[in-house]
């Protein structure tokens, strides 16, 4: 419960910073964006640790080279924010296009 609260709190802050133009996420490469999220003290949430907490014991198999690079840099720890970014940007484009 506490983990979900912390994630939601970070997601709300993330969206507000985008709206207020304090954080620009569009057209940035993932490593650059992740470095900025770290600098801005966003909390990382490692997926492997979450899966282990949930009782999953199988190793994660991922053959994608990019995913391996993300894993090495800890970039996947911020997927919970980057997913919000994608959904938020898509909603903004859809709203703009329908106007």
């Amino acid at each position: 419960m506490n983990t979900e609260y912390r994630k939601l709190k970070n997601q709300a802050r993330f969206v507000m910073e985008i709206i207020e133009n304090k954080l620009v996420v569009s057209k940035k490469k993932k490593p650059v964006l992740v470095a900025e999220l770290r600098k801005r003290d966003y909390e990382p949430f490692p997926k492997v640790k979450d899966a282990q907490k949930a009782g999953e014991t199988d190793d994660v198999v991922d053959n994608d080279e990019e995913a391996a690079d993300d894993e090495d840099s800890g970039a996947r720890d911020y997927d919970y924010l980057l997913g919000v970014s994608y959904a938020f940007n898509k909603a903004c484009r859809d709203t703009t296009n329908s106007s």
Side-chain angles (χ1 to χ4, degrees):
M1 174 93 160
N2 186 30
T3 302
E4 281 302 311
Y5 170 75
R6 291 190 341 260
K7 277 186 184 180
L8 289 171
K9 189 174 177 183
N10 273 278
Q11 288 173 331
R13 180 176 144 221
F14 181 74
V15 170
M16 288 305 298
E17 287 189 356
I18 292 171
I19 291 170
E20 295 169 351
N21 290 321
K22 292 179 181 177
L23 178 63
V24 177
V25 296
S26 61
K27 298 182 183 179
K28 284 188 180 176
K29 299 258 184 204
K30 189 172 184 178
V32 173
L33 186 53
V34 167
E36 189 168 350
L37 293 174
R38 284 189 179 118
K39 183 177 143 190
R40 298 177 80 79
D41 293 323
Y42 280 94
E43 188 174 357
F45 287 95
K47 287 185 176 188
V48 174
K49 188 192 297 184
D50 289 344
Q52 288 172 345
K53 271 186 177 177
E56 294 179 26
T57 56
D58 294 339
D59 289 335
V60 176
V61 177
D62 203 339
N63 295 327
D64 189 12
E65 214 173 280
E66 184 178 319
D69 291 343
D70 285 352
E71 201 64 42
D72 291 341
S73 68
R76 297 185 102 189
D77 298 351
Y78 294 94
D79 282 353
Y80 77 104
L81 292 175
L82 301 178
V84 170
S85 168
Y86 174 77
F88 183 75
N89 285 332
K90 183 179 181 330
C92 288
R93 280 193 310 270
D94 290 349
T95 302
T96 303
N97 290 338
S98 66
S99 299

